């Protein structure tokens, strides 16, 4: 169930094409659906514009599978994050129409209806070691119907690589900037583009990187005003922030 389908139901009631009792029965399952140990939040897409995603890390195969089953039944699509290759093999047996990407660790069944009319989102990462986080962001955006322009391996140690992509960066609707080490890339981008910049620190780096804390603090202390920072390695969270920004412009078709 999404907003357009809910409007369709209400229109059918107002036009006398569906009896209220039948629609009421459909609406009973909107707040959540119980599946084994899982209570799937099937109402989230109406509240937030994006269905609940299954965070698979720490969950059993049964818990993940039950959640995906409930979400597919409600929305016709589902997304699971942080899926191991071993779990993905078993999920593909249960959901053969799904697909798994080993870089992003995303398991996708279908995708959301509609698409965004906006310019592509630029997903920029400093190094290829940051690709798992970058692809988690990029493929979550694509699941939601957004276009993505991937810009890879343009860290500030070779600033000319980034400057060579300025046209692409300045034409983006917004920028997701992903970096480990000292986390300088988002600050540089924040000074080069007018679009919103969402910064993602990664845990990539030597000892004093402290598992991403050094990059996180650098981004939080950026002198580029207006930089938005999400949690370490949180490509999914960055994509969700971008989707909310895109959704406020009512440019979804």
């Amino acid at each position: 169930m999404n907003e357009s389908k809910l409007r369709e139901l209400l229109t059918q009631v107002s036009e006398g094409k569906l009896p209220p009792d039948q629609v009421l029965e459909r609406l009973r399952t909107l707040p959540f659906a119980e599946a084994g140990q899982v209570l799937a939040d099937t109402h989230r897409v109406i509240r937030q514009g994006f269905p609940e995603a299954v965070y698979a890390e720490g969950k059993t195969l049964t818990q993940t599978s039950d959640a995906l089953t409930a979400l597919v039944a409600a929305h016709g699509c589902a997304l699971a994050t942080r899926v191991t290759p071993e779990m993905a093999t078993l999920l593909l047996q249960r959901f053969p129409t799904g697909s798994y990407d080993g870089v992003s660790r995303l398991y996708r069944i279908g995708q959301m209806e509609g698409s965004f009319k906006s310019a592509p989102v630029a997903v920029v990462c400093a190094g290829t070691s940051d690709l798992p986080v970058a692809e988690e962001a990029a493929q979550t955006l694509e699941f939601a119907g957004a276009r993505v322009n991937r810009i890879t391996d343009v860290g500030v140690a070779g600033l000319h690589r980034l400057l060579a992509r300025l046209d692409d960066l300045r034409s983006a609707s917004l920028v997701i900037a992903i970096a480990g080490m000292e986390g300088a890339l988002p600050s540089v981008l924040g000074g080069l583009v007018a679009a919103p910049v969402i910064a993602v620190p990664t845990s990539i780096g030597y000892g004093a990187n402290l598992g991403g804390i050094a990059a996180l603090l650098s981004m939080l202390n950026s002198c580029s005003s207006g930089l938005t920072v999400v949690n370490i390695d949180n490509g999914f969270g960055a994509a969700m922030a971008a989707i909310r920004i895109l959704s406020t412009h009512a440019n979804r078709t």
Side-chain angles (χ1 to χ4, degrees), residues 211-227:
I213 293 176
L216 172 65
L217 294 177
S218 292
M219 294 173 187
L220 289 172
N221 286 287
S222 172
C223 61
S224 294
S225 301
L227 198 69

Side-chain angles (χ1 to χ4, degrees), residues 124 162 169 175-178 184-194 197 224:
V124 187
L162 182 66
L169 291 164
V175 177
I176 295 177
I178 301 156
L185 178 64
S187 289
V188 174
L189 280 168
L192 292 174
V193 302
V197 177
S224 294

Side-chain angles (χ1 to χ4, degrees), residues 230-249:
V230 300
N231 206 350
I232 299 167
D233 291 337
N234 193 5
F236 174 77
M240 287 304 305
I243 289 165
R244 289 191 176 214
I245 293 171
L246 293 175
S247 297
T248 61
H249 296 289

Side-chain angles (χ1 to χ4, degrees), residues 56-57 61 80-93 99-107:
E57 191 169 355
L61 173 64
T81 68
R82 304 300 170 92
V83 177
T84 65
E86 294 76 17
M87 180 180 283
T89 299
L90 298 172
L91 288 175
L92 284 166
Q93 295 174 8
S99 62
Y100 177 66
D101 178 70
V103 176
S104 65
R105 294 184 291 168
L106 292 179
Y107 189 86

